[in-house]
């Protein structure tokens, strides 16, 4: 039975007295210049940078370097720091190891589709193992920005739209990166980012303003950060964006009042790239000196890549605009992480073992993660799984069919495309005398409008029993600063689909993308659809073994798939509004009678040309099994502060394939002191059943799962009636109610 975790548990400082005493001793020896030196992080990429870094390190004017992955260079910097600087303080070596180092896991949005904390943790472990072997000891992940707008390119790096799922998977990444002990040589420090609310960037346009009201900030955007900090995340990065006019980098409400005073965070806070100096660009600082003043007073310990700290902090102390106690607290947070990482004992790596990349063990985890990230959206007439034994001809087609680099997705600075296995490569391994597998790209890349291959593609499709059409986005079309206003398939892919459809050959659509795309204009043309996100190094073998039924797809959507971009933002946990839409209350644009009377269309919350439902809802995903839910039972009708209710359901697999279902538990707080979502995920479990097998699945509900940030500005549960659902998506219908007693 799974105890459903809550988010807001009081966190207490758990400082190690030995480390704290070492910090104190070191602080007493440090000059102001050496203290300020610890508060800067510079880019270590490129020849000039290496020479400049050598100088800074020797003078004790650098606390951290980012963007260097050569173990020899890193070892030399650590040697200079330890042997040639006055106090021998080692360096934090940081890198964006977001979803793998050389072996690339699915993009985080794809990992989120697995709904499996275990595989997410194991993927982060592999990333930590490979990156630490070259001397990297700090990664800028997990990114837990709640993302409800797929126009935003960084949705690719996120863990989706739901605070609970995002929190549980972000915490799994923290465990994977940091291991049981940060001082383990294979561990690297996690950095939960971007604090906070970056995913609410207006119109999904990256870096744009966010306007997040207080209740939404606490009940949605802050939750996954608290969950990751409760899991022990060693550091946190502030967001570029402004929240209701106050950029996160200068936001003392977030960085001090919430993070330090309420959450008792004892880790390191770092700005985003140049974000301190960008406070002047935002227009809340006159100059770099003001930028440094605002950021340091708000709670940014370390400045990434800018120089306002090293240029102005010393003067600010002398002018009493910043106290030496504040500087000491900032430096303590830096030194504490270095002690926790064991860098004072040994900051060096054996650069011989830095070649342990892409091991069988790593590739196995990458394939498992990719396979569990696949979401089966449609399977008309059970077209899937394909037979690998029957005589036949399969056409593998599309611009993403043989794209080993593109399938790695965004943020793969070190990803090795030479070990990435494409869908075509993997499908070809199933070719036999009986089963012919041929290829035509149709389009040479995802944005291409050059239809020169269409005739051959159409001919191949006509002469095949099934076409596996691999579509989607090149990796460059998502990630930082890569937002799209139209989220249809790019280029001439839709035209390609229509032409292949016209041949009458059944089509399996495999979609590789860094976001949820709008598929409305092609969903009927595809007989089966597998959403593969950007599946990483082993995406090909994972997709091939799934298409041929060696494994059943088990993924569930971590984000809503809208019908059209005009519906955005669209997510399952919407508020009810005073006029909630129902199927009966909606009249769609083509159904409207001419001269219809103004109020005749129903007065509820929907779009005339889209209705109110998505194309596919959050939590949705089919398998090769047939899962039936029945017999929902609650152990009690009433819950009190110290009791719990067990919610139990029978799950059966009436299909002909063994499959894994992610059983989801949702609640609704019927009446609150603020309006409450119509559904909220509070628990999930992966259950594997053979054909004909059935089992009982239980969840334990306590008041912790009902708490929210109320009108009283307290994190608490409010008495009253609650509805619960258990099912295979946010569209679950099996429901019951219980009440929480005062
Ligand atoms: C980038 C990103 C941040 C990343 C950092 C270092 O601009 O916003 O997520 O970790 O800079 O590369």
């Amino acid at each position: 039975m799974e105890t459903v975790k809550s988010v807001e548990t009081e966190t207490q400082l758990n400082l190690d007295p030995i480390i704290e005493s070492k910090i104190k001793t070191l602080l007493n020896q440090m000059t102001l210049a050496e203290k300020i030196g610890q508060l800067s992080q510079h880019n270590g990429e490129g020849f000039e940078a290496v020479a400049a870094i050598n100088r800074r390190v020797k003078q004790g004017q650098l606390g951290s370097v980012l963007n260097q992955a050569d173990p020899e260079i890193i070892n030399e910097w650590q040697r200079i720091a330890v042997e040639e600087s006055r106090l021998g303080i080692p360096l934090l070596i940081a890198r964006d190891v977001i979803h793998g180092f050389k072996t690339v896991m699915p993009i985080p949005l794809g990992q989120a589709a697995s709904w499996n904390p275990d595989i997410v943790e194991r993927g982060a472990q592999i990333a930590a193992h490979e990156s630490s072997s070259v001397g990297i000891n700090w990664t800028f992940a997990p990114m837990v920005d709640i993302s409800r707008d797929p126009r935003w390119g960084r949705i690719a790096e996120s863990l989706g739209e739901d605070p609970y799922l995002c929190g549980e998977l972000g915490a799994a990444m923290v465990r994977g990166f940091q291991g049981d002990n940060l001082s383990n040589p294979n561990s690297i420090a996690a950095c939960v980012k971007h604090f906070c609310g970056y995913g609410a960037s207006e119109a999904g346009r990256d870096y744009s303003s966010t306007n997040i009201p207080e209740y939404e900030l606490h009940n949605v955007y802050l939750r996954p950060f608290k969950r990751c900090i409760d899991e022990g995340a060693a550091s946190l990065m502030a967001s570029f964006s402004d929240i209701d006019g106050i950029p996160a980098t200068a936001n003392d409400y977030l960085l001090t009042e919430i993070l330090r005073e309420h959450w008792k965070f004892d880790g390191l806070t770092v700005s985003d790239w140049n974000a301190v100096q960008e406070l002047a660009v935002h227009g809340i600082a006159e100059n770099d000196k003001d930028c440094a003043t605002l950021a340091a007073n708000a709670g940014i310990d370390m400045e990434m890549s800018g120089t306002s700290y090293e240029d102005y902090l010393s003067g600010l102390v002398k002018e009493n605009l910043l106290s030496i106690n504040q500087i000491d607290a900032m430096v303590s947070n830096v030194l504490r992480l270095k002690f926790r990482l064991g860098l004072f004992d040994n900051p060096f790596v054996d650069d011989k073992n830095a070649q342990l990349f892409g091991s069988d063990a790593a590739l196995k985890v990458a394939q498992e993660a990719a396979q569990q990230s696949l979401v089966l959206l449609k399977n008309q007439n059970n077209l899937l799984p394909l037979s690998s034994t029957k005589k036949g001809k399969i056409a593998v087609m599309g611009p993403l069919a043989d794209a080993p680099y593109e399938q790695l997705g965004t943020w793969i600075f070190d990803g090795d495309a030479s070990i990435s296995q494409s869908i075509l490569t993997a499908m070809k391994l199933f070719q036999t005398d009986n089963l012919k597998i041929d290829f035509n790209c149709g389009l040479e890349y995802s944005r291409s409008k050059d239809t020169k291959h269409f005739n051959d593609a159409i001919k191949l499709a006509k002469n095949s029993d099934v076409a596996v059409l691999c579509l989607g986005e090149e990796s460059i079309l998502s990630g930082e600063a890569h937002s799209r206003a139209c989220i249809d398939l790019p280029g001439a892919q839709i035209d390609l689909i229509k032409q292949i459809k016209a041949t009458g050959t059944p089509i399996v659509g495999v979609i590789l993308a860094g976001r949820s795309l709008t598929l409305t204009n092609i969903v009927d043309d595809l007989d089966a659809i597998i959403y593969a996100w950007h599946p990483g190094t082993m995406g090909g073998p994972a997709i091939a073994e799934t298409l041929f039924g060696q494994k059943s797809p088990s993924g569930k959507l971590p984000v809503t798939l809208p019908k059209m971009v005009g519906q955005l933002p669209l997510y399952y946990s919407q508020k009810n509004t005073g006029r909630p839409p129902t199927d009966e209350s909606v009249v769609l644009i083509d159904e409207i009678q001419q001269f219809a009377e103004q109020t005749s269309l129903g007065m509820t919350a929907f779009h005339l040309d889209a209705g109110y439902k998505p194309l596919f809802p959050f939590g949705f995903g089919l398998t090769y099994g047939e899962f039936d839910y029945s017999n929902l039972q609650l152990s009690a009708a009433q819950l009190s502060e110290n009791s719990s209710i067990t919610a139990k359901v029978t799950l059966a697999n009436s299909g002909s394939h063994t499959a894994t279902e992610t059983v989801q538990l949702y609640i609704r707080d019927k009446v609150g002191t603020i309006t409450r979502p119509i559904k909220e995920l509070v628990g999930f479990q992966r259950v594997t059943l053979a054909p004909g097998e059935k089992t009982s699945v239980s969840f334990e509900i306590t008041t912790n799962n009902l708490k929210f940030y109320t009108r009283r500005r307290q994190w608490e549960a409010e008495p009253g009636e609650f509805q619960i659902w258990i099912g295979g998506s946010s569209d679950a219908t099996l429901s019951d109610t219980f009440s929480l007693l005062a």
Side-chain angles (χ1 to χ4, degrees), residues 66 96 140 154 193-194 237 240 272-273 304 411 480:
L66 79 160
D96 290 285
F140 297 131
R154 303 199 76 166
K193 72 183 184 184
H194 305 81
M237 183 188 297
F240 284 123
D272 205 333
W273 185 280
M304 177 193 294
W411 282 109
E480 184 173 352

Side-chain angles (χ1 to χ4, degrees), residues 704-723:
N704 272 340
N705 313 111
L706 312 180
K707 290 181 177 178
F708 68 104
Y709 187 76
T710 66
R711 185 79 182 270
R712 292 168 0 104
R713 293 182 164 79
Q714 297 294 322
W715 191 266
E716 58 188 348
E718 294 180 342
E721 191 179 334
F722 289 80
Q723 191 165 358

Side-chain angles (χ1 to χ4, degrees), residues 312-457:
Y312 295 103
L313 287 191
S314 171
L316 293 177
V317 171
K318 292 186 179 92
E319 294 170 44
N320 290 319
L321 294 172
L322 203 62
S323 73
I324 191 61
N325 290 343
Q326 284 176 283
I327 294 283
D328 286 354
M330 293 156 74
V331 177
S332 298
N333 292 332
V334 176
L335 297 178
R336 186 173 304 115
L337 181 52
K338 295 183 176 184
F339 277 115
R340 284 176 169 169
L341 281 165
L343 297 179
F344 283 91
D345 301 325
N346 174 21
F348 304 106
V349 283
D350 167 4
D351 53 21
K352 309 278 180 298
N353 76 7
Q355 279 63 43
L356 292 180
F357 304 127
S359 67
D360 290 348
L363 296 179
K364 184 170 178 296
V365 172
Q367 183 165 342
E368 212 177 315
Q371 201 282 326
Q372 292 185 24
S373 73
L374 304 179
V375 183
L376 179 60
L377 295 176
K378 180 180 178 184
N379 192 16
Q380 198 160 281
N381 307 323
N382 289 325
L383 174 63
L384 292 176
L386 305 174
S387 166
S388 58
T389 53
K390 253 176 35 188
K391 189 169 176 52
K393 287 185 280 185
I394 297 175
V396 178
M397 311 173 82
L400 276 297
D402 194 23
Y405 171 78
E406 302 303 347
Q407 70 189 50
L408 298 180
T410 188
W411 282 109
I412 44 106
F413 284 171
D414 306 288
D416 183 352
S418 71
I419 62 172
S420 175
Q421 298 180 37
S422 74
I423 301 168
L424 177 65
T425 304
M427 294 288 282
K428 279 283 191 189
L429 297 178
F430 285 81
Q431 183 155 257
T432 62
D433 297 343
N434 251 350
L435 180 64
K436 249 173 88 32
I437 293 180
D438 286 311
F439 168 66
N440 183 292
C441 67
L443 291 160
E444 292 185 358
Y445 58 97
S446 73
R447 288 164 293 131
S448 171
K449 297 185 174 71
D450 183 345
T451 59
K452 66 189 173 198
H453 300 293
F454 273 31
N455 288 340
D456 291 344

